[in-house]
Amino acid sequence: MKIPSFPRSSVGMQLATLRRRVWQRWSVAGCVPTPERGNDKMLFFLALSFYTRLPHPQALDYKRLPQAAIYLPLIGWLVGGIAALIFYLADLVWPQATAVILALIAGILLTGALHEDGFADVCDGFGGGMNKQRILEIMKDSHVGVYGFIGLLLMLLLKISVLAETPTVIPLVLLAGHSISRLSPLLLMQRYTYARGNDSKASGAVYQPSFRELAFATVIALLPLALLPALCMLAIIPVLVATLLLGHYFYRRIDGYTGDCLGASQQVAETVFYLSVSTLWIFI
């Protein structure tokens, strides 16, 4: 950005110097965009290309893909919004349970089952592995084992059973659930380190967001809660507790996280959010 000029007086020159120094310090701190930081809009399109199957521009700089993770909650807006729309339309024709299943299918198709795949791999790896090396080997295997199949089946059944009994605010709950749950991977990425090298298919998601970026993502993630009754804000607490416990478990077993662990954390956080809102709704 071009810095405005001041009159050639001593006061004007001092103000210009002060303004230039402040601008430089803010640029170094990352508070304003600089040419090196690039176009932040491209980060959103990178996140769209990696975390969804939705259309996106083809000419993208994939070297910046790790930084795009901060837009995960905004991706949750899109996925949750489309899933909510599918539920609303299906609920006009079929029973609520059927509409819930169709909304879940829509979310899976939009993301290519990216997070569900991670959850299944985590179930297989931590269920069948006795040490870090074996756990990582199992999670890297593309085949789904017994632990993964059972875990994924039970999780989907739990989502269906909870949402099918939730009142008519399901579209808003889906929107908030998809957004808030995508904050969990960012919390793990900020707190822990990657458990293995860049040899996995999810290595592009490896990034440690700064506190400023995490604050931005948190605001985006929590905004949909404003559409729900105020008491639903308390659902954040179980989600955070579940994320912290899951992160500690991952750290204790494999000294960090993998891409599959991030996907699993999103699925667990989403399910916990639905359970929490369903419980809180008794008092609304």
Side-chain angles (χ1 to χ4, degrees):
M1 180 178 292
K2 184 178 180 180
I3 301 174
S5 60
F6 291 86
R8 284 187 169 277
S9 64
S10 58
V11 176
M13 294 179 63
Q14 291 176 7
L15 288 175
T17 302
L18 178 61
R19 180 182 177 86
R20 187 177 296 107
R21 289 178 179 176
V22 171
W23 182 266
Q24 290 173 350
R25 290 182 181 180
W26 282 11
S27 299
V28 172
C31 296
V32 295
T34 63
E36 291 75 14
R37 289 171 61 83
N39 191 345
D40 287 342
K41 184 171 66 175
M42 288 296 102
L43 289 181
F44 169 75
F45 287 126
L46 283 169
L48 192 69
S49 69
F50 187 80
Y51 296 108
T52 76
R53 298 290 180 87
L54 294 171
H56 56 83
Q58 297 301 317
L60 296 174
D61 182 11
Y62 283 92
K63 293 180 180 179
R64 301 189 68 205
L65 179 59
Q67 303 173 44
I70 64 172
Y71 285 98
L72 266 170
L74 197 56
I75 295 299
W77 281 26
L78 289 176
V79 177
I82 295 175
L85 178 61
I86 295 298
F87 171 85
Y88 176 79
L89 296 176
D91 193 44
L92 298 175
V93 182
W94 296 295
Q96 183 167 310
T98 303
V100 167
I101 294 174
L102 291 174
L104 293 179
I105 292 175
I108 291 173
L109 291 176
L110 287 171
T111 61
L114 179 66
H115 306 296
E116 287 80 4
D117 177 66
F119 179 80
D121 287 342
V122 164
C123 290
D124 280 333
F126 288 87
M130 300 302 296
N131 54 59
K132 175 181 178 179
Q133 181 178 0
R134 183 56 181 158
I135 292 174
L136 296 178
E137 288 176 356
I138 295 175
M139 286 197 294
K140 196 173 183 179
D141 191 342
S142 59
H143 297 87
V144 178
V146 175
Y147 289 108
F149 175 77
I150 294 177
L152 195 57
L153 177 63
L154 292 177
M155 184 195 64
L156 290 174
L157 289 175
L158 185 58
K159 286 184 181 180
I160 294 170
S161 65
V162 172
L163 291 173
E165 298 299 326
T166 303
T168 55
V169 294
I170 291 181
L172 300 180
V173 173
L174 286 170
L175 176 62
H178 278 279
S179 178
I180 292 173
S181 62
R182 281 166 171 77
L183 182 62
S184 293
L186 293 175
L187 293 174
L188 296 184
M189 293 164 69
Q190 203 284 324
R191 183 175 177 86
Y192 300 102
T193 57
Y194 197 58
R196 56 178 156 205
N198 296 331
D199 60 341
S200 73
K201 62 183 180 181
S203 60
V206 178
Y207 183 66
Q208 186 176 26
S210 66
F211 286 106
R212 185 181 66 87
E213 292 170 328
L214 192 60
F216 165 79
T218 300
V219 172
I220 297 298
L222 298 183
L223 276 178
L225 271 179
L227 302 175
L228 292 169
L231 191 62
C232 292
M233 289 289 294
L234 295 177
I236 301 173
I237 299 175
V239 171
L240 291 177
V241 171
T243 300
L244 292 175
L245 291 176
L246 201 59
H248 178 72
Y249 177 73
F250 291 152
Y251 179 76
R252 186 166 57 87
R253 296 293 304 275
I254 61 173
D255 301 322
Y257 68 88
T258 66
D260 290 325
C261 294
L262 299 180
S265 70
Q266 185 277 326
Q267 287 293 295
V268 171
E270 184 184 349
T271 305
V272 170
F273 178 78
Y274 295 152
L275 287 169
S276 302
V277 170
S278 178
T279 302
L280 291 169
W281 206 265
I282 299 174
F283 306 98
I284 296 176

